Amino acid sequence: MRNESADVSSGQTIAKLRVEYSRGRLDEADVSPDPVEQFGRWFDDAWAASVAEPNAMTLATVDPAGKPSARIVLLKSFDARGFAFYTNYDSRKGRELAANPSAALCFFWQPLERQVRIEGTVENVGREESEAYFRGRPRQAQVGAWVSQQSSLITSRAELERIEAEIQKRFEGRPVPLPDYWGGYRVVPRAVEFWQGRPSRLHDRLLYTRSESGAWSIQRLSP
């Protein structure tokens, strides 16, 4: 049974949680005209600052009925083409992206008081590129891609471990192939926002938007 007084107390404590951001600033004169290049600078800063899993990002998708869902996934590469991650194509996120190939990404690097938001269209990474990435994964992770029918119902943990043992035996002594239902997605950005925490909640927000010609423009948003 829940303790109602404890709930009230917790609610009051949560309401009072507040951190004053003061580690940096974000000025138009200091950023790259290319948001992917600017992202690379910030990602390098996060890496240098030993941010835990700096490639962890929230991925938001929408189902055919317009209902959103979000989860944490890992960025595995980025370049002028966009931001790539890998997963099971038959998972919930895969089904939603098949129905609506648009997504939003969000990175939060708390020690640096920085956030990056990316919105764009989604395309499949080519099979050759997915193969190259899959070959570089640890063998256990390769096996895991065969074991998990991601987002489907299973009866128990024991059932999962039984399937894992079967897959290990099937591929014993030979390379684990890339499953047909597994590979990469690339989010091709149309908008990228860089957010730097500032005192008094007067944060710096710079929004890059891409025109039909492919050129990027930068605007400052109110916090």
Side-chain angles (χ1 to χ4, degrees):
M1 186 178 213
R2 300 178 66 181
N3 185 318
E4 292 186 6
S5 63
D7 288 344
V8 172
S9 177
S10 298
Q12 290 174 342
T13 300
I14 292 171
K16 292 179 181 178
L17 286 176
R18 190 171 297 277
V19 176
E20 188 74 354
Y21 299 128
S22 59
R23 290 185 59 88
R25 58 188 299 160
L26 183 60
D27 295 323
E28 290 87 338
D30 298 329
V31 299
S32 169
D34 184 328
V36 177
E37 181 179 332
Q38 182 61 34
F39 179 87
R41 293 178 184 177
W42 271 25
F43 188 88
D44 288 345
D45 289 346
W47 183 272
S50 298
V51 172
E53 292 194 290
N55 61 328
M57 59 186 184
T58 299
L59 165 68
T61 55
V62 178
D63 73 8
K67 297 177 181 177
S69 62
R71 74 290 287 163
I72 302 296
V73 299
L74 297 178
L75 177 71
K76 288 302 178 180
S77 67
F78 67 92
D79 54 29
R81 297 172 297 170
F83 301 80
F85 64 95
Y86 293 82
T87 189
N88 186 315
Y89 290 141
D90 295 331
S91 64
R92 177 177 177 180
K93 67 178 92 59
R95 295 193 302 270
E96 292 181 350
L97 289 172
N100 183 353
S102 296
L105 306 174
C106 185
F107 296 82
F108 181 51
W109 297 314
Q110 192 278 333
L112 299 178
E113 299 170 354
R114 287 176 174 175
Q115 175 180 255
V116 182
R117 299 171 59 199
I118 300 164
E119 298 175 4
T121 56
V122 180
E123 62 186 24
N124 282 29
V125 168
R127 183 74 178 180
E128 184 176 339
E129 192 172 344
S130 290
E131 286 268 12
Y133 170 74
F134 189 79
R135 287 196 298 270
R137 283 164 62 94
R139 184 178 178 86
Q140 283 298 108
Q142 294 174 346
V143 169
W146 282 88
V147 174
S148 174
Q149 302 305 306
Q150 195 174 93
S151 302
S152 63
L153 296 175
I154 57 175
T155 57
S156 66
R157 177 76 191 187
E159 175 67 5
L160 195 66
E161 293 171 352
R162 181 191 66 76
I163 298 171
E164 180 185 25
E166 289 180 356
I167 297 297
Q168 292 278 21
K169 185 175 182 180
R170 182 193 306 180
F171 297 122
E172 187 175 4
R174 62 189 180 98
V176 179
L178 173 67
D180 291 338
Y181 53 79
W182 200 96
Y185 289 105
R186 178 175 290 109
V187 178
V188 181
R190 60 173 178 265
V192 183
E193 181 192 322
F194 294 86
W195 178 99
Q196 176 70 62
R198 295 295 300 273
S200 303
R201 293 297 188 263
L202 298 179
H203 311 303
D204 287 327
R205 298 174 62 190
L206 295 184
L207 175 65
Y208 291 71
T209 53
R210 181 153 52 185
S211 68
E212 291 186 5
S213 69
W216 289 99
S217 62
I218 305 175
Q219 296 171 300
R220 178 171 287 269
L221 301 180
S222 174

